[in-house]
Amino acid sequence: MKIALLEPLNVSEEMLREMAAPVLERGHELTVYDTKADSPQEVIRRAQGMDAVIIANTPFPAEAVTENPALKYIDVAFTGVDHVPMEACRARGVLVSNAANYSNQSVAELTVGMAIALLRRLPDCDAAVRAHQGSAGLIGREIAERTVGIVGLGRIGLRVARLMLAFGARVVAYDPKPMEQARQLGVQYASLCEVLESSDIVTLHAPACAQTHKMIGEAELAQMKPGALFINCARGALVDSQALCDALRSGHLAGAAVDVYDREPPLDDSEPLLHAPNIILTPHIAFASEESMLRRARIVFQNLYAWLDGEPINLC
């Protein structure tokens, strides 16, 4: 088989060689690219003639599937596969695996960090020190005793719930499939409207799909408590960015923190959130920690070897 790693996995060369060694030992060919492709055409070129490819979050063009008769398997080093042309894969019988759960802790910890940064006004505090000012007017707030609303209570959402409960928060959640495990922890399930209306902090952890596309828009943001905080470390497609920008400008929301957008950073000036007040922006980094990158690489190669053995796992 001809196999290509189309972009870096952000692990050391030594670790990558160790994980990839069985590929070569089994007599397969492995091509490794140590940079991201700079265009869709380059992705197509790198994938051409390959039986299997490993990708992360770089969009994989449909042409890389339809114009490559050799392709049989896409191993996605990511949880979501909305950047993979799944219809084209199904039409051609190309199997797709993902690396679900590798970043649960990483995303959950950044979510809590964002909540603390907003509540304690860390950007304002940093700016005050740099401007040779003191602490006047910079009194913050605590997570304890506040209501945290989680929209999408899967594995990541459940991890966020555990952390927030440890801080002394009350946690309410909206999810179409309630988990008894969450109820046992003390999470209260409610409708989306009830979660939005009752929460001091709303954080999204739902997948991107047709049912969740722009699920948070002008009407939903208006339902949130005045002065509430909004966090999105899930998917940019869940939120109407302009509506969020407007809610911040009007003062209805006290602040927001966003890690995901309608397109991958770097962003140009057309992105509304770049011009919103009281917002913390990170460049789609919630998933990325040293620990999560190592977990991801291990899962990806486990996927690959299972497929080579004729018993594919983690299929999407």
Side-chain angles (χ1 to χ4, degrees):
M1 293 288 183
K2 291 184 176 180
I3 302 164
L5 171 58
L6 299 190
E7 56 186 298
L9 292 180
N10 295 315
V11 296
S12 69
E13 290 186 18
E14 179 182 2
M15 186 61 65
L16 183 60
R17 283 195 300 269
E18 179 182 326
M19 293 181 183
V23 176
L24 304 177
E25 292 169 0
R26 296 182 184 195
H28 304 294
E29 297 180 23
L30 178 63
T31 302
V32 175
Y33 292 91
D34 59 5
T35 61
K36 278 179 167 284
D38 58 7
S39 69
Q41 292 72 30
E42 176 62 12
V43 176
I44 295 170
R45 186 195 70 78
R46 293 181 180 186
Q48 190 61 38
M50 297 295 161
D51 295 283
V53 297
I54 300 171
I55 65 172
N57 63 338
T58 296
F60 197 71
E63 293 82 357
V65 177
T66 59
E67 298 177 8
N68 183 8
L71 187 65
K72 304 173 183 67
Y73 182 59
I74 302 174
D75 194 358
V76 183
F78 221 65
T79 300
V81 294
D82 43 302
H83 58 302
V84 177
M86 296 300 291
E87 289 188 12
C89 291
R90 282 189 285 268
R92 278 219 41 241
V94 175
L95 297 180
V96 179
S97 291
N98 73 347
N101 303 318
Y102 77 93
S103 63
N104 294 355
Q105 186 69 23
S106 180
V107 175
E109 287 189 11
L110 183 64
T111 298
V112 175
M114 284 178 158
I116 292 172
L118 290 169
L119 287 167
R120 299 304 299 267
R121 302 177 60 183
L122 294 188
D124 292 338
C125 291
D126 179 84
V129 174
R130 295 178 189 279
H132 312 294
Q133 298 173 359
S135 61
L138 293 175
I139 294 177
R141 294 175 288 168
E142 299 174 351
I143 291 176
E145 304 301 325
R146 287 194 151 69
T147 298
V148 175
I150 301 176
V151 178
L153 199 70
R155 292 181 184 273
I156 293 176
L158 186 61
R159 195 70 59 92
V160 172
R162 289 181 182 275
L163 294 175
M164 291 296 189
L165 288 166
F167 274 93
R170 169 179 175 258
V171 176
V172 296
Y174 166 73
D175 194 283
K177 298 179 180 179
M179 291 187 291
E180 183 58 32
Q181 181 182 6
R183 287 197 174 101
Q184 291 175 357
L185 289 174
V187 176
Q188 301 175 39
Y189 281 95
S191 68
L192 177 60
C193 180
E194 290 169 333
V195 168
L196 296 174
E197 289 179 345
S198 65
S199 299
D200 302 295
I201 304 167
V202 171
T203 177
L204 303 188
H205 299 286
C209 59
Q211 292 76 19
T212 61
H213 185 72
K214 305 303 179 189
M215 67 183 299
I216 304 296
E218 181 180 359
E220 290 75 21
L221 292 167
Q223 291 174 349
M224 290 179 61
K225 294 170 65 172
L229 304 175
F230 182 84
I231 300 171
N232 185 11
C233 285
R235 285 290 184 268
L238 304 182
V239 182
D240 182 331
S241 294
Q242 185 60 59
L244 177 56
C245 181
D246 292 342
L248 290 165
R249 283 178 174 167
S250 71
H252 177 65
L253 297 183
V258 174
D259 184 57
V260 287
Y261 313 87
D262 287 323
R263 53 194 178 280
E264 282 296 304
L267 306 173
D268 58 40
D269 284 339
S270 66
E271 171 56 54
L273 297 179
L274 291 175
H275 312 288
N278 303 319
I279 189 168
I280 297 171
L281 303 176
T282 53
H284 197 180
I285 204 73
F287 67 93
S289 66
E290 292 181 6
E291 295 84 356
S292 68
M293 293 298 94
L294 184 56
R295 284 193 294 268
R296 179 177 76 165
R298 285 174 173 159
I299 292 171
V300 163
F301 279 98
Q302 288 168 359
N303 288 347
L304 177 63
Y305 296 132
W307 174 74
L308 289 171
D309 289 338
E311 300 179 352
I313 58 175
N314 295 322
L315 292 175
C316 300

